[in-house]
Amino acid sequence: MKSDTFRLGEVYDKDFTPDPEMKWMANMPAWLWPKKWRLLGQLAKVLDEQVNYGKPNSFKSIPDASKIYNGLSLTVSPKARGQGLGKEMIRQTMAMAKELQCSHVYILATSIYSQNIFNSIGFEVISNVPYADILDRDGSSPLLKDT
């Protein structure tokens, strides 16, 4: 791969060392952390425990995988939707994954727009959790807003 190629993703190998976890922040007293940091900790906890997403869960979800490319973000401006940009970014991601000898591509789709693109390309849905079911630390209101 060219060194000047930009990619927003990472390769997961079965022989990985788990990253330091941030979900412990979600359980700290609210007054101790700025709101954005608490949300980051809550989101890390939700992705791991409720959505089963992330590096350790990727090989549980795809046990026959040897090497997985995890795409970290797909964002298209609402003004540019419908022009095929999202599909092209996914095609480029798939090409990079193949070049890096990854057997699978693993991506979290959080909006209905990206979900539709992944479905149209033929991605398999491993897990599906409605926004309304992803609750804040008190379990009283949604952590995320549907976009």
Side-chain angles (χ1 to χ4, degrees):
M1 173 169 278
K2 295 179 186 176
S3 61
D4 61 345
T5 301
F6 173 77
R7 61 184 154 92
L8 190 52
E10 60 183 327
V11 174
Y12 292 170
D13 197 308
K14 278 199 174 186
D15 301 323
F16 70 88
T17 303
D19 295 330
E21 295 184 7
M22 293 186 290
K23 61 185 177 183
W24 59 269
M25 288 191 292
N27 297 317
M28 297 296 290
W31 57 267
L32 190 59
W33 298 100
K35 184 176 181 178
K36 287 183 181 181
W37 285 34
R38 284 194 318 270
L39 283 174
L40 180 62
Q42 288 174 320
L43 188 56
K45 184 175 181 179
V46 163
L47 289 176
D48 182 45
E49 296 175 3
Q50 293 182 36
V51 181
N52 297 317
Y53 182 78
K55 192 180 284 189
N57 292 311
S58 63
F59 288 102
K60 290 177 191 172
S61 301
I62 314 168
D64 61 328
S66 57
K67 200 174 186 184
I68 298 173
Y69 185 85
N70 178 41
L72 297 176
S73 181
L74 171 67
T75 305
V76 175
S77 166
K79 294 177 184 177
R81 286 187 187 139
Q83 299 179 27
L85 297 173
K87 272 188 183 178
E88 183 57 28
M89 285 192 283
I90 294 168
R91 285 189 188 107
Q92 292 294 323
T93 296
M94 292 168 67
M96 281 189 268
K98 186 175 182 179
E99 189 174 319
L100 293 166
Q101 300 173 343
C102 295
S103 60
H104 293 76
V105 175
Y106 184 73
I107 299 176
L108 176 68
T110 58
S111 81
I112 193 71
Y113 303 106
S114 58
Q115 290 170 11
N116 289 338
I117 294 169
F118 289 116
N119 286 334
S120 73
I121 291 178
F123 273 70
E124 176 187 347
V125 176
I126 295 174
S127 177
N128 187 3
V129 180
Y131 276 139
D133 293 350
I134 301 174
L135 303 176
D136 66 7
R137 66 188 282 156
D138 301 322
S140 60
S141 60
L143 179 63
L144 305 170
K145 294 180 181 174
D146 197 355
T147 56

